[in-house]
Amino acid sequence: MKITSFNPLIVTSDAERVIRLFEELGFEKEHSIQLNTGKSDVTTVRMKNADGFHVDVSDAPVPRDMTLIRMNVDDFDQAQDFLKERGFVNSRGSSSLDTETNRSAMLTSPSGFAFDLCQHIRK
């Protein structure tokens, strides 16, 4: 398994406020993506600063902001197995959120921190 990117992801119901804060810190929007999770529509904005650091902000109907570690990998199944062997639990049970360009799931550690595990689908 190869990690292809690794950065914070903030999931919030007030994305404009969070995006504005990071813009004030020198981050700029790179791109955004919209997807349906099966429960709601979510828009994620990828931001980058001049030093190459990234932060992603997802606008989702959550009762309280969540901070996760977004970990993009080249082999989703291998990475998920690696984490599950170490006690991580997939919030979707045994499934993942699959779109045309992405496969993802939130995996939470026994102590409470979480990864947004992703694999980009390249055609």
Side-chain angles (χ1 to χ4, degrees):
M1 163 192 74
K2 178 182 175 189
I3 296 173
T4 57
S5 68
F6 196 88
N7 60 271
L9 163 64
I10 300 168
V11 181
T12 180
S13 60
D14 191 1
E16 287 183 34
R17 175 186 51 84
V18 175
I19 290 168
R20 191 169 40 255
L21 169 68
F22 280 94
E23 287 174 332
E24 291 169 359
L25 289 168
F27 285 78
E28 296 180 359
K29 295 177 187 175
E30 279 195 316
H31 64 271
S32 65
I33 187 169
Q34 292 182 310
L35 59 97
N36 184 294
T37 67
K39 295 181 182 178
S40 63
D41 292 323
V42 174
T43 301
T44 300
V45 175
R46 182 140 176 95
M47 302 181 79
K48 182 178 179 180
N49 76 358
D51 294 317
F53 293 107
H54 287 92
V55 64
D56 296 334
V57 180
S58 288
D59 188 16
V62 292
R64 183 175 170 180
D65 290 359
M66 296 187 304
T67 303
L68 297 89
I69 302 167
R70 179 173 173 182
M71 182 168 60
N72 288 338
V73 296
D74 66 343
D75 187 326
F76 182 91
D77 291 325
Q78 184 182 22
Q80 181 173 236
D81 289 346
F82 176 89
L83 293 172
K84 283 184 171 183
E85 288 168 3
R86 286 151 181 83
F88 283 74
V89 176
N90 182 335
S91 66
R92 295 179 151 278
S94 61
S95 67
S96 58
L97 177 61
D98 300 317
T99 69
E100 211 174 279
T101 60
N102 189 56
R103 183 175 181 200
S104 65
M106 184 173 83
L107 283 99
T108 306
S109 76
S111 64
F113 75 91
F115 284 110
D116 176 35
L117 182 61
C118 302
Q119 179 182 355
H120 288 291
I121 310 297
R122 307 211 190 277
K123 292 184 177 184

